[in-house]
Coordinates of all heavy atoms in Angstrom, one line a residue:
M1 N -137.6 -31.6 81.1 CA -138.1 -32.4 80.0 C -137.1 -33.4 79.6 O -135.9 -33.4 80.0 CB -138.3 -31.4 78.8 CG -137.1 -30.8 78.2 SD -137.4 -29.8 76.8 CE -138.8 -28.8 77.3
R2 N -137.5 -34.4 78.9 CA -136.7 -35.5 78.5 C -136.4 -35.4 77.0 O -137.2 -34.9 76.2 CB -137.4 -36.8 78.7 CG -136.6 -38.0 79.1 CD -137.4 -39.1 79.6 NE -137.3 -39.3 81.1 CZ -136.2 -39.5 81.8 NH1 -135.1 -39.6 81.2 NH2 -136.3 -39.6 83.1
V3 N -135.1 -35.7 76.6 CA -134.7 -35.6 75.3 C -134.1 -37.0 74.9 O -133.4 -37.6 75.6 CB -133.6 -34.5 75.1 CG1 -133.1 -34.4 73.7 CG2 -134.1 -33.2 75.6
R4 N -134.5 -37.4 73.7 CA -133.9 -38.7 73.2 C -133.5 -38.5 71.7 O -134.1 -37.8 71.0 CB -134.9 -39.8 73.5 CG -135.9 -40.1 72.5 CD -136.7 -41.4 72.7 NE -137.2 -41.6 74.0 CZ -138.5 -42.0 74.3 NH1 -139.3 -42.3 73.3 NH2 -138.9 -42.1 75.5
G5 N -132.5 -39.3 71.4 CA -132.0 -39.3 70.0 C -130.7 -40.1 69.9 O -130.4 -40.9 70.7
R6 N -130.0 -39.8 68.9 CA -128.6 -40.4 68.6 C -127.6 -39.3 68.7 O -127.8 -38.2 68.2 CB -128.5 -41.0 67.3 CG -129.4 -42.3 67.1 CD -129.0 -43.0 65.9 NE -129.9 -44.2 65.8 CZ -129.6 -45.4 66.3 NH1 -128.4 -45.5 66.9 NH2 -130.4 -46.4 66.2
D7 N -126.5 -39.6 69.4 CA -125.4 -38.6 69.6 C -124.5 -38.6 68.3 O -124.8 -39.4 67.4 CB -124.7 -38.7 70.9 CG -123.9 -40.0 71.0 OD1 -123.7 -40.7 70.0 OD2 -123.6 -40.4 72.1
A8 N -123.5 -37.8 68.3 CA -122.6 -37.7 67.2 C -121.9 -39.0 66.8 O -121.5 -39.2 65.7 CB -121.5 -36.6 67.4
S9 N -121.8 -39.9 67.8 CA -121.1 -41.2 67.5 C -122.1 -42.2 67.1 O -121.8 -43.4 66.8 CB -120.4 -41.7 68.8 OG -121.3 -42.0 69.8
G10 N -123.4 -41.9 67.0 CA -124.5 -42.8 66.6 C -125.1 -43.6 67.7 O -126.0 -44.4 67.5
A11 N -124.7 -43.4 69.0 CA -125.3 -44.1 70.1 C -126.6 -43.5 70.5 O -126.8 -42.2 70.5 CB -124.3 -44.1 71.3
L12 N -127.6 -44.3 70.8 CA -128.9 -43.8 71.3 C -128.7 -43.3 72.7 O -127.9 -43.8 73.5 CB -129.9 -45.0 71.3 CG -130.4 -45.5 70.0 CD1 -131.2 -46.7 70.2 CD2 -131.3 -44.4 69.3
F13 N -129.4 -42.2 73.0 CA -129.4 -41.7 74.4 C -130.8 -41.2 74.8 O -131.6 -40.8 73.9 CB -128.3 -40.6 74.6 CG -128.7 -39.3 73.9 CD1 -129.3 -38.3 74.6 CD2 -128.4 -39.1 72.6 CE1 -129.6 -37.1 74.1 CE2 -128.7 -37.9 72.0 CZ -129.3 -36.9 72.7
E14 N -131.0 -41.1 76.0 CA -132.2 -40.4 76.6 C -131.7 -39.7 77.9 O -131.1 -40.4 78.7 CB -133.3 -41.3 76.9 CG -134.6 -40.6 77.4 CD -135.8 -41.5 77.4 OE1 -136.0 -42.4 76.5 OE2 -136.5 -41.4 78.4
E15 N -132.0 -38.4 78.0 CA -131.6 -37.7 79.2 C -132.5 -36.6 79.5 O -133.3 -36.2 78.7 CB -130.1 -37.3 79.1 CG -129.9 -36.2 78.1 CD -128.5 -35.8 77.9 OE1 -127.7 -36.2 78.7 OE2 -128.2 -35.1 76.9
L16 N -132.4 -36.1 80.8 CA -133.1 -34.9 81.2 C -132.4 -33.7 80.7 O -131.1 -33.6 80.7 CB -133.3 -34.8 82.7 CG -134.2 -35.9 83.3 CD1 -134.1 -35.8 84.8 CD2 -135.6 -35.8 82.8
A17 N -133.1 -32.7 80.3 CA -132.5 -31.4 79.8 C -133.4 -30.3 80.4 O -134.5 -30.6 80.9 CB -132.4 -31.3 78.3
H18 N -132.9 -29.0 80.3 CA -133.8 -27.9 80.7 C -133.9 -26.9 79.6 O -133.0 -26.8 78.8 CB -133.3 -27.3 82.1 CG -132.0 -26.8 82.0 ND1 -130.9 -27.5 82.4 CD2 -131.5 -25.6 81.6 CE1 -129.8 -26.7 82.3 NE2 -130.1 -25.6 81.8
T19 N -135.0 -26.2 79.7 CA -135.3 -25.1 78.7 C -134.6 -23.9 79.1 O -134.6 -23.5 80.2 CB -136.8 -24.9 78.5 OG1 -137.3 -24.5 79.8 CG2 -137.5 -26.1 78.0
L20 N -134.0 -23.2 78.1 CA -133.4 -21.9 78.3 C -134.3 -20.8 77.6 O -134.5 -19.7 78.1 CB -132.0 -21.9 77.8 CG -131.0 -22.8 78.5 CD1 -129.7 -22.9 77.7 CD2 -130.8 -22.4 79.9
D21 N -134.8 -21.2 76.4 CA -135.7 -20.3 75.6 C -136.7 -21.2 74.9 O -136.3 -22.3 74.4 CB -134.9 -19.5 74.6 CG -134.0 -18.5 75.2 OD1 -134.4 -17.7 76.0 OD2 -132.8 -18.5 74.8
L22 N -137.9 -20.7 74.7 CA -138.9 -21.4 73.9 C -139.5 -20.4 72.9 O -139.6 -19.2 73.2 CB -140.1 -21.8 74.8 CG -139.8 -22.9 75.8 CD1 -141.1 -23.2 76.6 CD2 -139.3 -24.2 75.2
T23 N -139.8 -20.9 71.7 CA -140.5 -20.1 70.7 C -141.6 -21.0 70.2 O -141.6 -22.2 70.5 CB -139.6 -19.6 69.6 OG1 -139.2 -20.8 68.8 CG2 -138.4 -18.9 70.1
A24 N -142.5 -20.5 69.4 CA -143.5 -21.3 68.8 C -143.0 -22.3 67.8 O -143.6 -23.3 67.5 CB -144.5 -20.4 68.1
T25 N -141.7 -22.2 67.3 CA -141.2 -23.1 66.3 C -139.9 -23.8 66.8 O -139.2 -24.5 66.0 CB -140.9 -22.4 65.0 OG1 -139.9 -21.3 65.3 CG2 -142.1 -21.8 64.4
G26 N -139.4 -23.5 68.0 CA -138.2 -24.1 68.5 C -137.8 -23.9 69.9 O -138.7 -23.5 70.7
A27 N -136.6 -24.2 70.2 CA -136.2 -24.0 71.6 C -134.6 -24.0 71.7 O -133.9 -24.4 70.8 CB -136.7 -25.2 72.5
R28 N -134.2 -23.5 72.9 CA -132.7 -23.6 73.2 C -132.7 -24.4 74.5 O -133.4 -24.0 75.5 CB -132.1 -22.2 73.4 CG -130.6 -22.3 73.8 CD -129.9 -21.0 73.8 NE -130.5 -20.0 74.7 CZ -129.9 -19.4 75.7 NH1 -128.7 -19.8 76.0 NH2 -130.5 -18.6 76.4
L29 N -132.0 -25.5 74.5 CA -132.0 -26.4 75.6 C -130.6 -26.4 76.2 O -129.6 -26.3 75.5 CB -132.3 -27.8 75.3 CG -133.7 -28.1 74.7 CD1 -133.9 -29.6 74.4 CD2 -134.8 -27.5 75.5
G30 N -130.5 -26.7 77.5 CA -129.2 -26.8 78.2 C -129.1 -28.1 78.9 O -130.1 -28.9 79.0
A31 N -127.9 -28.4 79.5 CA -127.7 -29.6 80.2 C -127.7 -30.9 79.4 O -127.9 -32.0 79.9 CB -128.6 -29.8 81.4
I32 N -127.4 -30.7 78.1 CA -127.2 -31.9 77.2 C -125.8 -32.4 77.4 O -124.8 -31.7 77.2 CB -127.5 -31.5 75.7 CG1 -128.8 -30.8 75.6 CG2 -127.3 -32.7 74.8 CD1 -130.0 -31.7 75.7
R33 N -125.7 -33.7 77.7 CA -124.4 -34.3 78.0 C -123.9 -35.1 76.9 O -122.9 -35.9 77.0 CB -124.5 -35.1 79.3 CG -124.9 -34.4 80.5 CD -123.7 -33.6 81.0 NE -124.2 -32.8 82.1 CZ -123.5 -31.8 82.6 NH1 -122.3 -31.4 82.0 NH2 -123.9 -31.1 83.6
H34 N -124.5 -35.0 75.7 CA -124.0 -35.8 74.5 C -123.7 -34.8 73.4 O -124.4 -33.8 73.2 CB -125.1 -36.7 74.1 CG -125.4 -37.8 75.1 ND1 -124.8 -39.0 75.0 CD2 -126.2 -37.8 76.1 CE1 -125.2 -39.7 76.0 NE2 -126.1 -39.0 76.7
Q35 N -122.7 -35.1 72.7 CA -122.3 -34.3 71.5 C -123.3 -34.6 70.4 O -123.5 -35.7 70.1 CB -120.9 -34.5 71.1 CG -120.4 -33.7 69.9 CD -119.0 -33.9 69.5 OE1 -118.3 -34.7 70.1 NE2 -118.6 -33.3 68.5
L36 N -123.9 -33.5 69.8 CA -124.8 -33.7 68.7 C -124.3 -33.0 67.5 O -123.4 -32.2 67.5 CB -126.2 -33.1 69.1 CG -126.8 -33.6 70.4 CD1 -128.0 -32.9 70.7 CD2 -127.1 -35.1 70.2
K37 N -124.9 -33.3 66.3 CA -124.5 -32.7 65.1 C -125.7 -31.9 64.5 O -126.9 -32.3 64.8 CB -124.1 -33.8 64.0 CG -122.9 -34.6 64.4 CD -122.5 -35.6 63.3 CE -123.7 -36.5 63.1 NZ -123.4 -37.6 62.3
T38 N -125.4 -30.9 63.8 CA -126.4 -30.1 63.1 C -127.2 -31.0 62.2 O -126.7 -31.9 61.6 CB -125.8 -29.0 62.3 OG1 -125.0 -28.2 63.1 CG2 -126.8 -28.1 61.6
L39 N -128.5 -30.9 62.2 CA -129.5 -31.6 61.4 C -129.9 -33.0 62.0 O -130.7 -33.7 61.5 CB -129.1 -31.8 59.9 CG -128.8 -30.5 59.1 CD1 -128.4 -30.9 57.7 CD2 -130.0 -29.7 59.1
D40 N -129.3 -33.3 63.2 CA -129.7 -34.5 63.9 C -131.2 -34.3 64.3 O -131.6 -33.1 64.5 CB -128.9 -34.7 65.2 CG -127.5 -35.4 64.9 OD1 -127.3 -35.9 63.8 OD2 -126.7 -35.4 65.9
T41 N -131.9 -35.4 64.5 CA -133.3 -35.3 64.9 C -133.3 -35.7 66.4 O -132.8 -36.7 66.8 CB -134.2 -36.2 64.1 OG1 -134.2 -35.7 62.8 CG2 -135.7 -36.1 64.6
L42 N -134.0 -34.9 67.2 CA -134.2 -35.2 68.6 C -135.7 -35.2 68.9 O -136.5 -34.5 68.3 CB -133.6 -34.1 69.5 CG -132.1 -34.0 69.6 CD1 -131.7 -32.9 70.6 CD2 -131.5 -35.3 70.0
V43 N -136.1 -36.1 69.8 CA -137.5 -36.2 70.3 C -137.5 -35.6 71.7 O -136.7 -36.0 72.5 CB -138.0 -37.6 70.3 CG1 -139.4 -37.7 70.9 CG2 -138.0 -38.2 68.9
V44 N -138.3 -34.6 71.8 CA -138.5 -33.9 73.1 C -139.8 -34.4 73.7 O -140.9 -34.4 73.1 CB -138.5 -32.4 73.0 CG1 -138.8 -31.7 74.3 CG2 -137.1 -31.9 72.5
L45 N -139.7 -34.9 75.0 CA -140.9 -35.4 75.7 C -141.2 -34.4 76.8 O -140.3 -34.2 77.7 CB -140.6 -36.8 76.3 CG -140.1 -37.8 75.2 CD1 -139.4 -39.0 75.9 CD2 -141.3 -38.3 74.5
F46 N -142.3 -33.8 76.7 CA -142.7 -32.7 77.6 C -144.2 -32.7 77.9 O -145.0 -32.6 76.9 CB -142.2 -31.4 77.0 CG -142.6 -30.2 77.8 CD1 -141.9 -29.9 79.0 CD2 -143.6 -29.3 77.4 CE1 -142.2 -28.7 79.7 CE2 -143.9 -28.2 78.1 CZ -143.2 -27.9 79.3
R47 N -144.6 -32.8 79.1 CA -146.0 -32.8 79.5 C -146.9 -33.7 78.6 O -147.8 -33.3 78.0 CB -146.6 -31.4 79.3 CG -146.0 -30.4 80.3 CD -146.7 -29.1 80.3 NE -146.3 -28.2 81.3 CZ -146.7 -27.0 81.5 NH1 -147.6 -26.5 80.7 NH2 -146.2 -26.2 82.4
Q48 N -146.5 -35.0 78.6 CA -147.2 -36.0 77.8 C -147.2 -35.7 76.3 O -148.1 -36.2 75.6 CB -148.6 -36.3 78.3 CG -148.7 -37.1 79.5 CD -148.7 -36.2 80.8 OE1 -149.4 -35.2 80.8 NE2 -148.0 -36.7 81.8
R49 N -146.3 -34.9 75.9 CA -146.2 -34.6 74.4 C -144.8 -35.2 73.9 O -143.9 -35.3 74.6 CB -146.1 -33.1 74.2 CG -147.5 -32.5 74.4 CD -147.4 -31.0 74.3 NE -148.7 -30.4 74.6 CZ -149.6 -30.0 73.7 NH1 -149.3 -30.2 72.4 NH2 -150.7 -29.5 74.0
R50 N -144.9 -35.6 72.7 CA -143.7 -36.1 72.0 C -143.5 -35.3 70.7 O -144.3 -35.5 69.8 CB -143.9 -37.6 71.7 CG -142.7 -38.3 71.0 CD -143.1 -39.7 70.7 NE -142.0 -40.4 70.1 CZ -141.6 -40.4 68.9 NH1 -142.3 -39.6 68.0 NH2 -140.6 -41.0 68.5
V51 N -142.5 -34.5 70.7 CA -142.3 -33.6 69.5 C -141.0 -33.7 68.9 O -140.0 -33.8 69.7 CB -142.6 -32.1 70.0 CG1 -142.5 -31.2 68.8 CG2 -143.9 -31.9 70.7
E52 N -140.9 -33.8 67.6 CA -139.6 -34.0 66.9 C -139.0 -32.6 66.5 O -139.7 -31.8 66.0 CB -139.7 -34.9 65.7 CG -139.9 -36.3 66.0 CD -139.8 -37.2 64.8 OE1 -139.3 -36.7 63.7 OE2 -140.3 -38.3 64.8
F53 N -137.7 -32.5 66.8 CA -137.0 -31.3 66.4 C -135.7 -31.6 65.7 O -135.2 -32.7 65.8 CB -136.6 -30.6 67.7 CG -137.7 -29.9 68.5 CD1 -138.4 -30.7 69.4 CD2 -138.1 -28.6 68.2 CE1 -139.4 -30.1 70.1 CE2 -139.1 -28.1 68.9 CZ -139.8 -28.8 69.9
S54 N -135.3 -30.7 64.9 CA -134.0 -30.8 64.2 C -133.0 -29.9 64.9 O -133.3 -28.8 65.3 CB -134.2 -30.3 62.8 OG -133.0 -30.5 62.1
V55 N -131.8 -30.4 65.1 CA -130.7 -29.6 65.7 C -130.2 -28.5 64.7 O -129.8 -28.9 63.6 CB -129.5 -30.5 66.2 CG1 -128.4 -29.6 66.8 CG2 -130.0 -31.5 67.2
V56 N -130.3 -27.3 65.1 CA -129.9 -26.2 64.3 C -128.5 -25.7 64.6 O -127.7 -25.4 63.7 CB -130.8 -25.0 64.4 CG1 -130.4 -23.8 63.6 CG2 -132.3 -25.4 64.1
W57 N -128.1 -25.8 65.9 CA -126.8 -25.4 66.3 C -126.5 -26.1 67.6 O -127.4 -26.5 68.3 CB -126.5 -23.9 66.4 CG -127.4 -23.2 67.4 CD1 -128.6 -22.6 67.0 CD2 -127.3 -23.1 68.8 NE1 -129.2 -22.1 68.2 CE2 -128.4 -22.4 69.2 CE3 -126.3 -23.5 69.7 CZ2 -128.6 -22.0 70.6 CZ3 -126.5 -23.2 71.0 CH2 -127.6 -22.5 71.5
T58 N -125.2 -26.3 67.9 CA -124.8 -26.9 69.2 C -123.6 -26.2 69.7 O -122.7 -25.7 68.9 CB -124.6 -28.4 69.1 OG1 -124.2 -28.9 70.4 CG2 -123.6 -28.7 68.1
R59 N -123.4 -26.0 71.0 CA -122.3 -25.3 71.6 C -121.8 -26.0 72.9 O -122.6 -26.3 73.8 CB -122.7 -23.9 71.9 CG -121.5 -23.1 72.6 CD -121.9 -21.7 72.9 NE -123.3 -21.4 72.7 CZ -123.9 -20.3 73.0 NH1 -123.3 -19.3 73.6 NH2 -125.2 -20.1 72.8
L60 N -120.5 -26.4 72.9 CA -120.0 -27.0 74.1 C -119.7 -25.9 75.1 O -119.0 -24.9 74.8 CB -118.6 -27.7 73.8 CG -117.9 -28.3 74.9 CD1 -118.7 -29.4 75.6 CD2 -116.6 -28.9 74.4
L61 N -120.2 -26.0 76.3 CA -120.1 -25.0 77.3 C -118.8 -25.1 78.2 O -118.3 -24.1 78.6 CB -121.3 -24.9 78.2 CG -122.6 -24.5 77.6 CD1 -123.7 -24.5 78.6 CD2 -122.5 -23.2 76.9
D62 N -118.5 -26.3 78.5 CA -117.3 -26.5 79.4 C -116.7 -27.8 79.2 O -117.2 -28.7 78.4 CB -117.8 -26.3 80.9 CG -118.9 -27.3 81.3 OD1 -118.9 -28.4 80.8 OD2 -119.7 -26.9 82.1
E63 N -115.6 -28.0 79.9 CA -114.8 -29.3 79.7 C -115.5 -30.5 80.3 O -115.1 -31.6 80.1 CB -113.4 -29.1 80.3 CG -113.4 -28.9 81.8 CD -113.6 -27.4 82.2 OE1 -113.7 -26.5 81.4 OE2 -113.8 -27.2 83.5
R64 N -116.5 -30.3 81.1 CA -117.3 -31.4 81.7 C -118.3 -32.0 80.6 O -118.9 -33.0 80.9 CB -118.1 -31.0 82.9 CG -117.2 -30.6 84.1 CD -118.0 -30.0 85.2 NE -118.7 -28.8 84.7 CZ -119.7 -28.2 85.3 NH1 -120.1 -28.7 86.5 NH2 -120.3 -27.2 84.8
G65 N -118.4 -31.4 79.5 CA -119.2 -32.0 78.4 C -120.6 -31.5 78.3 O -121.4 -32.1 77.7
E66 N -120.9 -30.4 79.0 CA -122.3 -29.8 78.9 C -122.4 -29.0 77.6 O -121.6 -28.2 77.3 CB -122.6 -29.0 80.1 CG -124.1 -28.4 80.0 CD -124.5 -27.6 81.2 OE1 -123.8 -27.6 82.2 OE2 -125.6 -27.0 81.0
H67 N -123.5 -29.3 76.9 CA -123.8 -28.6 75.6 C -125.1 -27.9 75.7 O -126.0 -28.3 76.5 CB -124.0 -29.6 74.5 CG -122.7 -30.4 74.2 ND1 -121.8 -30.1 73.2 CD2 -122.2 -31.5 74.7 CE1 -120.9 -30.9 73.1 NE2 -121.1 -31.8 74.1
Q68 N -125.2 -26.8 75.0 CA -126.5 -26.1 74.7 C -126.8 -26.4 73.2 O -125.9 -26.6 72.4 CB -126.4 -24.6 74.9 CG -126.4 -24.2 76.3 CD -126.5 -22.7 76.4 OE1 -126.6 -21.9 75.4 NE2 -126.4 -22.2 77.7
V69 N -128.1 -26.6 72.9 CA -128.5 -26.9 71.5 C -129.7 -26.0 71.2 O -130.5 -25.7 72.0 CB -128.9 -28.4 71.3 CG1 -127.7 -29.2 71.5 CG2 -130.0 -28.8 72.2
G70 N -129.7 -25.6 69.9 CA -130.8 -24.8 69.3 C -131.6 -25.8 68.5 O -131.0 -26.5 67.7
L71 N -132.9 -25.8 68.7 CA -133.8 -26.8 68.0 C -134.8 -26.1 67.2 O -135.3 -25.0 67.6 CB -134.4 -27.7 69.0 CG -133.6 -28.5 70.0 CD1 -134.4 -29.3 71.0 CD2 -132.7 -29.4 69.2
E72 N -135.2 -26.7 66.1 CA -136.3 -26.2 65.3 C -137.3 -27.3 65.0 O -136.9 -28.5 64.8 CB -135.8 -25.7 63.9 CG -136.8 -25.1 63.0 CD -136.1 -24.5 61.8 OE1 -135.5 -25.3 61.0 OE2 -136.2 -23.3 61.6
L73 N -138.6 -27.0 65.1 CA -139.6 -28.0 64.9 C -139.5 -28.7 63.5 O -139.2 -28.0 62.5 CB -141.0 -27.4 64.9 CG -141.7 -27.2 66.3 CD1 -142.9 -26.4 66.1 CD2 -142.0 -28.6 66.9
V74 N -139.7 -30.0 63.5 CA -139.6 -30.7 62.2 C -140.9 -30.5 61.5 O -141.0 -30.2 60.3 CB -139.4 -32.2 62.4 CG1 -139.6 -33.0 61.1 CG2 -138.0 -32.4 63.0
A75 N -142.1 -30.6 62.2 CA -143.4 -30.4 61.6 C -144.1 -29.2 62.3 O -144.0 -29.2 63.6 CB -144.2 -31.6 61.6
Q76 N -144.8 -28.3 61.6 CA -145.4 -27.2 62.3 C -146.6 -27.7 63.2 O -147.4 -28.6 62.8 CB -146.0 -26.3 61.2 CG -146.7 -25.0 61.8 CD -145.7 -24.1 62.5 OE1 -144.5 -24.2 62.3 NE2 -146.2 -23.3 63.4
E77 N -146.6 -27.3 64.4 CA -147.7 -27.6 65.3 C -148.2 -26.3 65.9 O -147.5 -25.3 66.1 CB -147.1 -28.5 66.5 CG -146.7 -29.8 66.0 CD -146.5 -30.8 67.1 OE1 -147.1 -30.6 68.2 OE2 -145.7 -31.7 66.9
S78 N -149.5 -26.3 66.2 CA -150.1 -25.0 66.7 C -149.6 -24.7 68.1 O -149.5 -23.5 68.5 CB -151.6 -25.1 66.6 OG -152.1 -26.2 67.5
D79 N -149.4 -25.7 69.0 CA -149.0 -25.4 70.4 C -148.1 -26.6 70.8 O -148.4 -27.4 71.6 CB -150.2 -25.3 71.3 CG -149.9 -24.9 72.7 OD1 -148.7 -24.5 72.9 OD2 -150.7 -25.1 73.6
P80 N -146.8 -26.6 70.3 CA -145.9 -27.7 70.6 C -145.6 -27.9 72.0 O -145.3 -29.0 72.5 CB -144.7 -27.4 69.8 CG -144.7 -25.9 69.6 CD -146.1 -25.6 69.5
W81 N -145.7 -26.9 72.8 CA -145.3 -27.0 74.2 C -146.5 -27.3 75.2 O -146.3 -27.5 76.3 CB -144.5 -25.7 74.7 CG -143.3 -25.5 73.8 CD1 -143.2 -24.5 72.9 CD2 -142.2 -26.3 73.8 NE1 -141.9 -24.6 72.3 CE2 -141.3 -25.7 72.8 CE3 -141.8 -27.4 74.4 CZ2 -140.1 -26.2 72.5 CZ3 -140.5 -28.0 74.1 CH2 -139.7 -27.4 73.2
G82 N -147.7 -27.2 74.6 CA -148.9 -27.4 75.5 C -149.1 -26.4 76.5 O -149.6 -26.7 77.6
L83 N -148.7 -25.2 76.2 CA -148.8 -24.1 77.2 C -150.0 -23.3 77.0 O -150.3 -22.3 77.8 CB -147.6 -23.2 77.1 CG -146.2 -23.8 77.4 CD1 -145.1 -22.8 77.2 CD2 -146.2 -24.3 78.8
G84 N -150.8 -23.6 76.0 CA -152.0 -22.8 75.8 C -151.8 -21.4 75.4 O -152.6 -20.5 75.7
V85 N -150.7 -21.1 74.7 CA -150.4 -19.8 74.2 C -150.4 -19.8 72.7 O -150.1 -20.8 72.0 CB -149.1 -19.2 74.7 CG1 -149.2 -19.1 76.2 CG2 -147.9 -20.1 74.4
S86 N -150.7 -18.7 72.1 CA -150.7 -18.5 70.6 C -149.3 -18.2 70.1 O -148.4 -17.8 70.9 CB -151.7 -17.5 70.2 OG -151.2 -16.2 70.5
H87 N -149.1 -18.2 68.8 CA -147.9 -17.8 68.2 C -147.5 -16.4 68.6 O -146.4 -16.0 68.8 CB -147.9 -18.0 66.7 CG -147.9 -19.5 66.3 ND1 -146.8 -20.2 66.4 CD2 -148.9 -20.2 65.8 CE1 -147.0 -21.5 66.0 NE2 -148.3 -21.5 65.6
A88 N -148.6 -15.5 68.6 CA -148.3 -14.1 68.9 C -147.8 -14.0 70.4 O -147.0 -13.1 70.6 CB -149.6 -13.3 68.7
D89 N -148.3 -14.8 71.3 CA -147.9 -14.8 72.7 C -146.4 -15.1 72.8 O -145.8 -14.8 73.8 CB -148.7 -15.7 73.5 CG -150.1 -15.2 73.7 OD1 -150.4 -14.0 73.5 OD2 -151.0 -16.1 73.9
M90 N -145.9 -15.9 71.9 CA -144.5 -16.4 71.9 C -143.5 -15.4 71.3 O -142.3 -15.7 71.2 CB -144.4 -17.7 71.3 CG -145.2 -18.8 72.0 SD -144.6 -19.2 73.7 CE -143.1 -20.1 73.3
Q91 N -144.0 -14.2 70.9 CA -143.1 -13.2 70.3 C -142.2 -12.6 71.4 O -142.5 -12.6 72.6 CB -143.9 -12.1 69.6 CG -144.7 -12.6 68.5 CD -143.9 -13.3 67.4 OE1 -142.8 -12.8 67.0 NE2 -144.3 -14.5 66.9
P92 N -141.0 -12.0 71.0 CA -140.2 -11.4 72.0 C -141.0 -10.4 72.9 O -141.9 -9.7 72.4 CB -139.1 -10.6 71.2 CG -139.1 -11.4 69.9 CD -140.5 -11.9 69.7
G93 N -140.7 -10.4 74.1 CA -141.5 -9.5 75.0 C -142.5 -10.3 75.8 O -142.7 -10.2 77.0
A94 N -143.2 -11.2 75.0 CA -144.2 -12.0 75.6 C -143.6 -13.4 76.0 O -144.2 -14.1 76.8 CB -145.4 -12.3 74.7
Q95 N -142.4 -13.6 75.5 CA -141.7 -14.9 75.7 C -141.5 -15.2 77.2 O -141.6 -16.3 77.6 CB -140.5 -14.9 74.9 CG -139.8 -16.3 74.9 CD -138.6 -16.3 74.0 OE1 -138.3 -15.3 73.4 NE2 -137.9 -17.4 73.9
A96 N -141.1 -14.3 78.0 CA -140.7 -14.5 79.4 C -141.8 -15.1 80.2 O -141.6 -16.0 81.0 CB -140.3 -13.2 80.0
S97 N -143.1 -14.7 80.0 CA -144.2 -15.2 80.7 C -144.5 -16.7 80.3 O -144.8 -17.5 81.1 CB -145.4 -14.4 80.6 OG -145.8 -14.3 79.2
A98 N -144.3 -17.0 79.0 CA -144.6 -18.4 78.6 C -143.5 -19.3 79.0 O -143.7 -20.4 79.4 CB -144.6 -18.4 77.0
V99 N -142.2 -18.8 79.1 CA -141.1 -19.7 79.5 C -141.1 -20.0 80.9 O -140.8 -21.1 81.4 CB -139.8 -19.0 79.1 CG1 -138.6 -19.8 79.7 CG2 -139.6 -18.9 77.6
S100 N -141.6 -19.0 81.7 CA -141.6 -19.2 83.2 C -142.4 -20.5 83.6 O -142.0 -21.1 84.6 CB -142.1 -18.0 83.9 OG -143.4 -17.8 83.6
G101 N -143.4 -20.8 83.0 CA -144.2 -22.0 83.3 C -143.7 -23.3 82.7 O -144.2 -24.3 82.9
A102 N -142.6 -23.2 81.9 CA -142.2 -24.4 81.1 C -141.0 -25.1 81.7 O -140.7 -26.2 81.3 CB -141.9 -23.9 79.7
A103 N -140.2 -24.5 82.6 CA -139.0 -25.2 83.0 C -139.2 -26.4 83.9 O -140.0 -27.0 84.2 CB -138.1 -24.2 83.7

C-alpha cells in the first residue's frame, strides 16, 4: 500500500508500506522510513481507495530509520480496506483470514 503525509519535520512524503495488522477502525503499518508524530494525518492508498488515518503511536525499530505506526480511521467507514468483510469478521480470531489477503 502507499502512504502519504507530512513527516515530523513538515516535509511531504509518499512511500510504500506494508500491513502488519488490520482492524475495522485502524491498522499497524511497517516499513515507514519517515519519523511521524502522534495525531499526524496520513492518507493510505489501497486498492483504489483513499482513506485518512490519524497516527496513534509510532515506534522506531532500528538505526536504519524503519518505523512502525499505529493508525486510527479519521471518519468511520463500513469497509475501509475493501475486503468485503464486516466489522464482526475483523474481531480477534477472525483477523488472520482478513489480513492474509491484504498485504
Side-chain angles (χ1 to χ4, degrees):
M1 70 178 44
R2 212 166 258 297
V3 179
R4 86 172 52 135
R6 290 191 181 270
D7 64 18
S9 69
L12 288 172
F13 74 92
E14 183 171 321
E15 67 184 347
L16 292 174
H18 60 264
T19 57
L20 299 169
D21 292 309
L22 294 178
T23 70
T25 59
R28 180 170 59 117
L29 302 182
I32 304 291
R33 300 285 178 195
H34 294 269
Q35 182 178 357
L36 303 174
K37 296 182 299 189
T38 303
L39 302 180
D40 282 347
T41 299
L42 291 181
V43 174
V44 173
L45 305 159
F46 178 74
R47 292 186 176 180
Q48 283 91 41
R49 291 175 182 264
R50 180 185 184 279
V51 184
E52 286 190 18
F53 290 88
S54 181
V55 176
V56 178
W57 58 265
T58 182
R59 178 179 7 173
L60 178 63
L61 293 181
D62 58 33
E63 64 279 351
R64 294 176 300 170
E66 182 178 347
H67 297 263
Q68 283 186 4
V69 296
L71 303 177
E72 183 175 62
L73 275 171
V74 170
Q76 184 64 23
E77 295 195 25
S78 61
D79 186 14
W81 302 111
L83 300 174
V85 295
S86 70
H87 290 285
D89 292 335
M90 295 295 285
Q91 296 303 315
Q95 187 173 1
S97 61
V99 172
S100 64

